Structures are given as C-alpha cells and as structure tokens.
Amino acid sequence: MTQDNKACLVAGELPVASQLTFITPNTKVRLITAHDQALYLELYTDANIMRFIGKLYTKERVTQSFFHALKLTALSPWERLFFVIESNCRLQSFGLMGLTNTGDAGVEFGIMLRQQVQGKGLASEVLQQCIARLFALGVSKVWLQLHPDNAAAIAMAQAAAMTKLPGSMAENQQIWFIEQQHDKNCRRH
C-alpha cells in the first residue's frame, strides 16, 4: 500500500473491523458489544422480523448465537462482523447489521431493524453508506440475499443500484449485488 493511496488494499486483504463503523445523516453504526444482548434477542426472536430472514429460534438458541457473534466480531482477520445501528440523535439502538467475508465473492451484507423504524429509509441509508465504505476500503463486490416477497428489502437493494443475479434462488432467497471496478491508480504490491 502506498502512502498516497491508503484506501487500496492488497488483493485478498480485508479492512479491519474498526474501519467499517460509520455515521450516516440519521444513524450511527458501531461494532456489537456485550451490552447489546437484549436488542439481539429481541430482533432474532421476533417472528414478524424473521419471516423473510430465516428460521425462528428459541431464546436459548439465540443467546448462544449472540455470544458466538461476539467471538466472531473479535477475530482478526474477520469472517463475520456484527454491528448495532443506533439513532445518531438519541443513541437509541434499533437494528443490527452483519457483514460476512465470502472471499473472492466479496462481502455479504445483512440488516434487521425493529418494526417501529422500518419504512423510514434507514436500511437504505445504512446499506448505501456501507457499500461506499467497503468500496473506499478496496472491497470490490457487496451482495445480499433477499426473500422474493420482501418488497421493502428489494426496494432497498434497487435504491443502492444493486442488480439481481439472474436465476438466483438459493433457499428461497434472491441474490442482489453491486460491483466496483478497481481503481487503476491503486498500486498493489
């Protein structure tokens, strides 16, 4: 990496977790901590939120998952990171964001929000800023899996200029992605 091109990563190198926190006009996205267990449990045990995401688990299973998420977020290099989304005016937590390193396939993005803040454009705001941050740090592809009946999530992907992968249906999920061409001025070693 050259001094004048700090955003360029060596091929296969990932940004460190702390580089992936950010602030948008309405949110603050920070790494998950042990203090976020109640939010994690609330979201992952809410049948209405989970209907487009996956299987609904027991509180005990979600508690185990939470502690596993904390361990994963602490690893370096990371495979999976978990973030909390807060209102940046009241610092009230209302959502979770996840990033998964999928190697050459890029970074998978996931988000879940409390029902009372859904439909306000916050998920789109977070996704767009996350894509911009990942691209600025040298990640070339961001993708997500969406249930075909989740119109709000599909609108979020479209607002972020993502493209649906034709014929993509894995476990009743569509794959949406966005790619960035590598900066020709980025000098790799």
Side-chain angles (χ1 to χ4, degrees), residues 41-133:
L41 289 171
E42 175 190 337
L43 294 175
Y44 275 101
T45 58
D46 184 313
N48 195 40
I49 291 172
M50 293 300 294
R51 75 187 186 283
F52 292 129
I53 297 172
K55 185 177 176 182
L56 190 61
Y57 291 108
T58 64
K59 185 177 179 180
E60 294 75 27
R61 174 75 191 258
V62 174
T63 299
Q64 292 173 346
S65 172
F66 173 74
F67 289 109
H68 186 66
L70 289 177
K71 288 178 186 174
L72 288 173
T73 299
L75 293 177
S76 182
W78 57 273
E79 293 178 19
R80 205 151 184 224
L81 295 173
F82 293 84
F83 300 83
V84 170
I85 306 166
E86 303 175 325
S87 165
N88 64 8
C89 62
R90 291 183 303 205
L91 296 183
Q92 181 180 10
S93 302
F94 60 78
L96 297 171
M97 181 184 92
L99 297 176
T100 303
N101 171 21
T102 57
D104 291 340
V107 172
E108 180 183 8
F109 171 92
I111 192 167
M112 53 194 329
L113 303 177
R114 284 183 170 143
Q115 291 181 42
Q116 60 266 37
V117 298
Q118 292 178 10
K120 298 179 185 213
L122 297 172
S124 292
E125 186 176 302
V126 169
L127 172 60
Q128 290 173 32
Q129 181 62 39
C130 186
I131 290 169
R133 172 73 72 169

Side-chain angles (χ1 to χ4, degrees), residues 129-165:
Q129 181 62 39
C130 186
I131 290 169
R133 172 73 72 169
L134 288 165
F135 282 179
L137 292 168
V139 172
S140 61
K141 185 174 186 177
V142 179
W143 61 280
L144 44 93
Q145 296 183 63
L146 301 176
H147 191 282
D149 295 334
N150 191 343
I154 291 169
M156 173 191 71
Q158 291 170 331
M162 298 182 97
T163 303
K164 180 180 153 194
L165 187 64

